[in-house]
Amino acid sequence: MSYTETIGSRTYRFADLKTLMAKASPQRSGDQLAGVAAASEEERVAAKMALAQVPLRTFLNEALIPYESDEVTRLVIDDHSPQAFAEISHLTVGDFRNWLLSTTTDADALTRITAGLTPEMVAAVSKLMRNQDLIAAARKRPVITRFRNTVGLPGHMSVRLQPNHPTDDVKGIAASMLDGLMYGCGDAMIGINPASDNLAAITKLLLMIDDFRQRYQVPTQSCVLTHVTNTIAAIEKGAPVDLVFQSIAGTEKANAGFGISLALLQEAYEAGLSLKRGTVGDNLMYFETGQGSALSADAHFGVDQQTCEVRAYAVARKFNPFLVNTVVGFIGPEYLYDGKQITRAGLEDHFCGKLLGVPMGCDICYTNHAEADQDDMDNLLTLLGVAGINFIMGIPGADDVMLNYQSTSFHDALYVRDVLGLRRAPEFEEWLESMQITDTRGALLSASTQQPLLEGARDWMGIA
């Protein structure tokens, strides 16, 4: 089906829904690289006007990637709930935007329709929204998950403590981990990107974190971000695996490039569940995504990069994840050129994920060759804090010495919690207070008060 829109004396024609969605997308370098972006701002406006008139029902009948050739499309269609969709089935994309922003649409209403939404519907409505619209609507939709603590409660924001090391040195990682905990970070998880995929090295890191966690009774969860097949092997060998990690994308072909399928993710999910390591819940999958991953794998099929990204959230939703992380500026300026594009993408991803019922966090980041700086990250951090982000990253100095990119620091987490009045996961906050790291308000106590834990941890690490 083709779509048309007239502006003045000029009529714009869009061959199909896929083309219309791409032309309606805000400007970004990845869509330009793929050759699917609007050729002018006028064409972009025309596409938005035409998209606003498309009935939501259309997305159930016009697949952007064929059902027969893509298992993500099959997942989306087969898991769609007509009952949940009924409440909004009469709306167009433009009407849906108005409904989302209405003061009468609350968290209960958004929860009711979740199973009736497809990623394409959600991506479409986001293209009609200003940044403030994305923030306002996402803020209405908390997504709460539990493993050893509770993440995603309204008024709370958690931090993934990321103590990476370029050689996987256990003492170096332990020192960064302790540093983050002293700043009150780590309630989302303690997650290490290993420099090596060697199973013995991965197991060593898992054992180190688990030993520390048990010794000091820390109510958090650990993860070593290796390929899911390595995690399954580690589970089979009895390693203390909490969260099961995998990078995912929005098409079957892109996921195949990651060496995964829905069946393999199901196997990993069941392996993680079999350990029964959660204490307050059993959400245990940790997924990472990023706009541009499908394009970089030549697996986007002409679909714009943001819509491909939102399709990845449908994959995540299938496995009841504890955390989903859009690593928003990591892939590079070929896909998100500058701070403005990174900011927009982060707000889109958070909004779309939350609307699909996914526990969204964001690695607010950029690579050193992007047209962005730490001020851009401060802006996005603040906006996502207002929007109700589930978690952000905590990295020593905001500079990852292993992955070589810029993110957010322990101090950044203190800043956004302070200015927005955000609390940590309640179980973790109680632990910080009991360990005399923070007071009853969640504010850090002095280093002298923290000294007993510091001394004990130094002994544990074997550091004089």
Side-chain angles (χ1 to χ4, degrees), residues 175-194:
S176 292
M177 179 179 71
L178 182 62
D179 187 27
L181 290 169
M182 293 300 101
Y183 280 103
C185 295
D187 50 340
M189 70 166 173
I190 299 170
I192 301 167
N193 297 86

Side-chain angles (χ1 to χ4, degrees), residues 148 209-218 220 277:
R148 286 200 191 91
I209 302 174
D210 201 58
D211 180 60
F212 183 90
R213 182 190 63 78
Q214 292 194 61
R215 181 179 296 238
Y216 293 101
Q217 299 181 311
V218 190
T220 190
R277 290 176 60 83

Side-chain angles (χ1 to χ4, degrees), residues 170-176 178 212 454 456-463:
V170 172
K171 286 187 178 180
I173 289 171
S176 292
L178 182 62
F212 183 90
L454 285 169
R458 286 192 187 103
D459 290 341
W460 169 77
M461 289 191 293
I463 299 174

Side-chain angles (χ1 to χ4, degrees), residues 65 70 72-73 248-252 254-255 293-294 308-312 315:
I65 302 174
D70 186 89
V72 177
T73 300
I248 57 173
T251 72
E252 179 178 348
N255 282 326
S293 60
C308 282
E309 169 74 0
V310 184
R311 284 168 56 93
V315 175

